[in-house]
Amino acid sequence: MKVNVRGEHVSDKIINMYVSELVKAHPDKHIDAVDIFVEGDKMKVRLMHDLDRSA
């Protein structure tokens, strides 16, 4: 799984914790990539997953 972080700096520990929770929340999906955009105190997250593997 590839994790892309853009915008303001956020510690790797926080990013890893957040991504871990996302994976736990979507056990039925094979997540290929996670894009995280950090703007001040807001985080926008986009998950990319393979629909063929998830079916």
Side-chain angles (χ1 to χ4, degrees):
M1 172 178 26
K2 185 174 181 181
V3 178
N4 301 309
V5 180
R6 295 193 179 124
E8 298 176 29
H9 177 73
V10 176
S11 78
D12 290 339
K13 184 177 179 181
I14 291 173
I15 295 298
N16 291 338
M17 246 178 17
Y18 191 77
V19 170
S20 174
E21 290 299 319
L22 283 174
V23 171
K24 287 180 192 174
H26 300 283
D28 57 331
K29 294 182 173 28
H30 178 80
I31 300 171
D32 290 331
V34 178
D35 293 331
I36 299 174
F37 305 94
V38 182
E39 299 172 355
D41 60 348
K42 297 179 186 174
M43 274 182 18
K44 296 178 184 177
V45 179
R46 178 173 54 196
L47 297 177
M48 309 264 220
H49 57 90
D50 188 341
L51 292 176
D52 291 336
R53 291 187 189 177
S54 298

